[in-house]
Amino acid sequence: MNDLVDKKIERYETLLREMWAASETYLGAFSVKLLVERVVWDLSAEYREIELLHCHEGGISCAEIAASMKENPNLPVDDIFMKFITRYVEILAKLIGSEKTDKVAKKLKEEFGNIPFYSKEE
C-alpha cells in the first residue's frame, strides 16, 4: 500500500516540477513560487493538506503530503492535485495568455497522459 502511495505522490511531484519548469520559462522562478503559494492559499480552505506542499525558488516538494498520506490513506489526494493543477493552469492562462498556456499543457499531456488541463480564459 505504501509503495502505491509513494508512486502516486512521486508522479504528482514530477508533474508539478514539470509545470514549474515550463512556467518558469515565461514567469521566472520568483513569480512561479508566488503562483504556487496563491493556489495553495486558494485551495487550503477546502483541502488543508495542500498546505503541506512546499516550494522555494528551486522547486517544489510533496514529501510532507506523502508522509500525511501514510498516516491518513483516505486523503482525497487525486482531487487535491487535480484541483491544484486546474486552478494553477487557470491563473497561468490569465498571466501569460491561453496560447502560451496551451503549449505548457500540451507538453504536460504528452508526458503525463490523461490529465485534464484546460487553459482557456473565461
Side-chain angles (χ1 to χ4, degrees), residues 36-92:
V36 168
E37 290 174 350
R38 168 59 193 263
V39 175
V40 166
W41 182 80
D42 279 354
L43 293 179
S44 65
E46 187 174 1
Y47 298 110
R48 191 126 185 106
E49 295 80 11
I50 196 67
E51 293 177 358
L52 299 173
L53 182 72
H54 290 284
C55 67
H56 50 82
E57 290 186 31
I60 198 161
S61 171
C62 299
E64 288 190 34
I65 292 176
S68 182
M69 284 276 306
K70 290 175 184 171
E71 293 176 17
N72 182 6
N74 295 323
L75 274 176
V77 71
D78 292 319
D79 289 343
I80 293 170
F81 280 109
M82 286 301 106
K83 286 187 178 180
F84 179 89
I85 292 165
T86 300
R87 185 70 181 130
Y88 183 94
V89 172
E90 287 173 355
I91 294 172
L92 186 64

